[in-house]
Amino acid sequence: MSTTPSTTHLHSLRYKAGAVIRFANTTKCWQDGTLALDSVNLELASGECCIVIGPSGAGKTTLLRSINGLVTLTSGSVLFNGERVTRRSLRRIRSRIGMVHQQFNLVGRLPVMDNVMTGMLSKTGTLRSLLKLFPRADVQRACRLLAQVGLEESQLYRRAMYLSGGQQQRVAIARAFISRPDLVLADEPVASLDPTTSEDILHLVRSVSRQTGATVLCSLHQVELARQFADRIIGMRAGRLVFDGPPESLTDPVMREIYGTTAKNVAAAREHGRDNRTARVDEASVRPSHVAELT
Amino acid sequence: MMNARLKHNGSRPPEEWGIRRPFHWGHALVICLLMAALAYSADRTDIGEGVAMSTDAALTGLANLVGFEREPSAVGRGISSFAQRSWPIVVSRERRVDDLGRNFDPDADMPWWSHIETRPHPVTGEPIEYLVQPVGYLTYVVGLMVTTIEIAIWGTLLALFLAIPLTYCSASNYTPHPLLYVLGRSLCSLSRAVPELISALIFVVLFGVGPFAGVLALGFHTAGFLGKFFADDIENADRGPQEALHCSGANPVKVLRFAVLPQIMPQVFAYVQYILERNVRTATVLGIVGAGGIGLELIGQWNMYKYGHAATILLVIFVTVVILEHITQRLRRRII
Ligand SMILES: Nc1ncnc2c1ncn2[C@@H]1O[C@H](COP(=O)(O)OP(=O)(O)OP(=O)(O)O)[C@@H](O)[C@H]1O
Ligand SMILES: [Mg+2]
């Protein structure tokens, strides 16, 4: 029942399982000449929780979005389960990837239930989905997932726009995981949430992905949270990977390399982490029980 | 410290920043030009004369009110003559029994709430039987109004039906093909460009006099409105949820159904309500060109100078529009 994942163990498993995602010399150069990805080579093993950190503009979002075709590459390629991501394979590949967005991106006027079911659209026939006639098994799965992320039956038919940010992100997690994805992408999933909720949300992503065996690729600005939840941390700077390793090897010199040479930045990042830690101590007792249940 | 950094970057201190004034001489020039154009156009559209006549009428009315004698104005004379001739409004209906045909049997064929009156002929004095229906004309007009509303409803349904493919083609982010986008947008503009009275004339020629021509005219005209409104709304809908659904591998039709339709539903209701209301108002005049409804009766009575009948019709139209507005307003509040 420990709340911190045992990271070293999973990290050592990394190269035993097959690669879910493989970046091969992936390069993205925007029209204005910004090199957002500079021949990135990276492999993610199945079941791994990998967190990308790096200063603003480092290319974290671009890295994540290049996987499901939201960014067209300048050169190089991205392989998903050994298959190259192309225009033709895109829809099939997308149906195997769940995504948690920073701004949740729920459909505000739809009830919670329907929002979760939209994660299953790629696996439901067009006519069935137009009439919202989802298979019973899927609906029950949605309910289980919602309970798992800590929503109650009374919220099932509330419109998503009336939920709090944290609740919306929980619904978004249920939506991302309902299709049993091989990979879950999360681009700053907790950027607009308070420290306690952030931690809860990351806990959820972590525990649900463990249960379903999904690989997680997540970008974060909170280094301390990254240390806490990642099996593997990737440091990016100006489109290049400058660090790749387990949380323990994320030392101060490495931090300086990722975030810049000014000591101020590192201090600020540390400060940020300390804030989170104190918040955790303060609010450990009030954390909802479901989080403990899951881990 | 802030200031120091700004200066360091070579910017001016905030006290010296250039502030734009909300108005400048360019605005004044534009206003002057607009005024000149309006003045020129007012001359061409007899606005001056109309204003003079209305002022005259208002002054006369005011003078009469205060007790002064003033020569009656042209507009005032018109109003009073129309008011005199249209009052009292005609509610009842009288027909000579002789005109009803030989087969009319006073015991079996009497219409609802009616009686037979015998009055002497005003000239010859011989007794004549009349079939009198005390509210006969009013019920007849209300019946026509119901037909008119039916025309409007069917026209709106037709418009909705036609608007679905038009919308799908005319929303730039969901159109199946760029050419279909151009086609859809053009059809929308075309259908809005042809006035209903004109298209009704054509449909009367094609399908004969009657309500169906009216339904077609309304449907084709308002489909363009709905198509354009819906397509614009789809284009402006929040992109976040749409992207999220695209990312999960849903095809465009499913994205439309789940990420766009729920978002635009309130506007869709508002537009359909507006279109239904305006179709009722328009359907009242479509009868003038023979496309069914209350308009035919109105223009007929008007042309025979029967202003009492016309006043009844106008009153029924007015009351209907007011009631309809109330009902749709309530419905909308409940649905949204
Ligand atoms: N649509 C775009 N057009 C042009 N340049 C872009 C676009 N999107 C991103 N960039 C540029 O690519 C670089 C990487 O951006 P990206 O959004 O991936 O950074 P990030 O690491 O996610 O930053 P943040 O932490 O602020 O979210 C930046 O320099 C950015 O200006
Ligand atoms: Mg980003």
Side-chain angles (χ1 to χ4, degrees):
Chain A
M1 282 301 248
S2 127
T3 45
T4 33
S6 81
T7 47
T8 36
H9 165 63
L10 270 163
H11 185 66
S12 61
L13 281 178
R14 197 168 91 213
Y15 294 106
K16 287 182 188 158
V20 174
I21 272 288
R22 186 144 126 225
F23 292 90
N25 286 322
T26 311
T27 303
K28 173 66 192 181
C29 187
W30 291 105
Q31 267 149 359
D32 56 1
T34 322
L35 204 55
L37 295 179
D38 188 357
S39 23
V40 171
N41 284 296
L42 180 67
E43 266 188 30
L44 287 193
S46 175
E48 199 170 35
C49 177
C50 181
I51 294 187
V52 188
I53 59 172
S56 192
K60 304 181 293 296
T61 301
T62 313
L63 183 80
L64 263 62
R65 288 166 73 92
S66 66
I67 294 173
N68 57 9
L70 290 172
V71 168
T72 45
L73 298 176
T74 315
S75 68
S77 58
V78 178
L79 290 106
F80 179 80
N81 281 337
E83 184 181 11
R84 214 181 136 155
V85 179
T86 58
R87 193 175 274 261
R88 194 172 302 167
S89 63
L90 192 59
R91 190 158 310 148
R92 188 155 23 92
I93 287 177
R94 277 178 172 176
S95 71
R96 310 215 45 83
I97 300 178
M99 191 156 184
V100 182
H101 304 255
Q102 179 184 341
Q103 297 304 330
F104 324 134
N105 284 352
L106 299 179
V107 186
R109 290 177 50 82
L110 278 186
V112 168
M113 185 66 198
D114 292 6
N115 265 297
V116 177
M117 291 318 292
T118 57
M120 282 304 285
L121 284 178
S122 64
K123 301 203 164 66
T124 316
T126 302
L127 194 65
R128 271 196 106 121
S129 29
L130 288 186
L131 298 172
K132 294 192 186 177
L133 292 174
F134 294 102
R136 196 167 167 73
D138 290 347
V139 175
Q140 280 171 345
R141 215 176 113 67
C143 292
R144 275 202 300 277
L145 258 173
L146 280 171
Q148 205 174 353
V149 298
L151 274 110
E152 276 151 28
E153 192 187 351
S154 58
Q155 280 152 339
L156 209 52
Y157 289 100
R158 269 179 82 189
R159 284 186 175 169
M161 60 187 185
Y162 297 132
L163 299 178
S164 73
Q167 287 171 324
Q168 292 196 30
Q169 196 60 298
R170 285 162 207 268
V171 176
I173 289 171
R175 176 176 70 179
F177 278 97
I178 190 166
S179 61
R180 301 175 206 267
D182 296 338
L183 174 71
V184 170
L185 302 174
D187 189 14
E188 294 177 37
V190 296
S192 45
L193 302 176
D194 70 82
T196 325
T197 315
S198 301
E199 212 170 309
D200 287 352
I201 293 294
L202 286 175
H203 253 296
L204 280 172
V205 171
R206 199 66 197 91
S207 58
V208 181
S209 70
R210 277 227 190 94
Q211 227 171 54
T212 58
T215 310
V216 175
L217 182 60
C218 172
S219 76
L220 275 188
H221 274 304
Q222 296 93 325
V223 178
E224 280 311 307
L225 286 177
R227 277 188 210 277
Q228 192 184 340
F229 289 101
D231 302 328
R232 177 183 178 189
I233 292 181
I234 305 250
M236 279 192 86
R237 183 168 185 186
R240 275 176 298 116
L241 306 190
V242 292
F243 172 77
D244 180 0
E248 303 88 74
S249 41
L250 191 66
T251 53
D252 274 3
V254 174
M255 287 290 286
R256 267 198 290 281
E257 198 183 337
I258 299 172
Y259 283 98
T261 43
T262 41
K264 215 171 68 189
N265 283 356
V266 177
R270 276 243 203 89
E271 198 58 41
H272 202 110
R274 197 167 306 133
D275 275 346
N276 274 343
R277 234 172 319 176
T278 45
R280 193 165 82 229
V281 171
D282 287 343
E283 286 161 280
S285 50
V286 291
R287 192 186 305 149
S289 54
H290 61 265
V291 176
E293 265 165 37
L294 287 168
T295 41
Chain B
M1 200 188 105
M2 257 327 228
N3 249 335
R5 208 161 71 211
L6 284 173
K7 268 184 189 149
H8 174 73
N9 290 344
S11 343
R12 288 187 287 180
E15 295 80 24
E16 290 170 24
W17 285 357
I19 306 295
R20 286 189 191 162
R21 267 171 300 151
F23 304 108
H24 57 92
W25 63 268
H27 292 117
L29 185 71
V30 168
I31 289 173
C32 284
L33 283 176
L34 274 177
M35 297 286 263
L38 280 178
Y40 175 68
S41 154
D43 193 39
R44 290 162 48 86
T45 44
D46 299 342
I47 299 278
E49 201 177 323
V51 169
M53 284 169 75
S54 320
T55 317
D56 186 30
L59 281 178
T60 312
L62 207 66
N64 288 345
L65 215 66
V66 186
F68 282 108
E69 279 296 309
R70 197 166 187 274
E71 192 160 316
S73 64
V75 178
R77 272 198 305 268
I79 289 177
S80 70
S81 97
F82 179 70
Q84 271 165 19
R85 275 186 286 171
S86 60
W87 190 261
I89 63 167
V90 178
V91 173
S92 68
R93 191 181 198 191
E94 285 183 15
R95 277 170 294 177
R96 283 174 64 158
V97 173
D98 293 348
D99 295 346
L100 294 174
R102 296 204 178 283
N103 297 339
F104 181 75
D105 173 9
D107 295 320
D109 296 343
M110 288 293 282
W112 168 78
W113 194 6
S114 60
H115 58 266
I116 290 184
E117 245 178 59
T118 313
R119 272 178 269 147
H121 190 276
V123 182
T124 57
E126 63 177 299
I128 294 175
E129 286 187 322
Y130 291 94
L131 176 70
V132 180
Q133 293 166 271
V135 290
Y137 190 64
L138 185 66
T139 46
Y140 175 64
V141 170
V142 168
L144 284 178
M145 193 66 224
V146 170
T147 317
T148 311
I149 293 175
E150 283 171 302
I151 294 174
I153 289 175
W154 280 108
T156 310
L157 285 179
L158 177 64
L160 257 175
F161 183 73
L162 293 175
I164 290 169
L166 272 182
T167 307
Y168 189 57
C169 294
S170 326
S172 58
N173 45 349
Y174 284 94
T175 188
H177 195 274
L179 279 180
L180 280 176
Y181 171 78
V182 176
L183 184 74
R185 287 280 170 175
S186 319
L187 281 178
C188 285
S189 308
L190 183 75
S191 92
R192 278 176 295 140
V194 182
E196 283 123 323
L197 279 176
I198 306 297
S199 53
L201 272 175
I202 297 169
F203 286 126
V204 165
V205 173
L206 295 184
F207 291 91
V209 173
F212 188 63
V215 169
L216 288 182
L218 289 178
F220 280 105
H221 186 67
T222 47
F225 279 96
L226 289 181
K228 181 185 154 46
F229 291 162
F230 293 168
D232 285 351
D233 272 353
I234 290 177
E235 285 173 4
N236 293 333
D238 184 7
R239 294 290 168 100
Q242 298 175 48
E243 190 189 280
L245 263 60
H246 276 301
C247 279
S248 69
N251 65 23
V253 175
K254 294 174 189 171
V255 177
L256 268 177
R257 168 72 181 84
F258 280 90
V260 179
L261 191 67
Q263 286 191 64
I264 65 170
M265 216 51 199
Q267 288 100 298
V268 167
F269 273 116
Y271 295 142
V272 172
Q273 177 207 357
Y274 167 73
I275 292 295
L276 181 62
E277 249 178 62
R278 89 174 271 297
N279 276 352
V280 170
R281 275 178 272 128
T282 316
T284 55
V285 292
L286 278 187
I288 294 175
V289 296
I294 205 168
L296 188 64
E297 177 73 11
L298 176 62
I299 197 73
Q301 302 290 10
W302 192 273
N303 285 343
M304 290 189 291
Y305 305 108
K306 293 192 174 168
Y307 294 124
H309 292 78
T312 310
I313 297 170
L314 289 177
L315 207 67
V316 167
I317 293 176
F318 172 72
V319 170
T320 311
V321 169
V322 169
I323 291 176
L324 196 80
E325 231 155 79
H326 266 274
I327 293 176
T328 50
Q329 202 64 35
R330 283 206 171 183
L331 259 180
R332 209 178 122 201
R333 235 178 278 147
R334 189 169 298 180
I335 288 169
I336 292 175

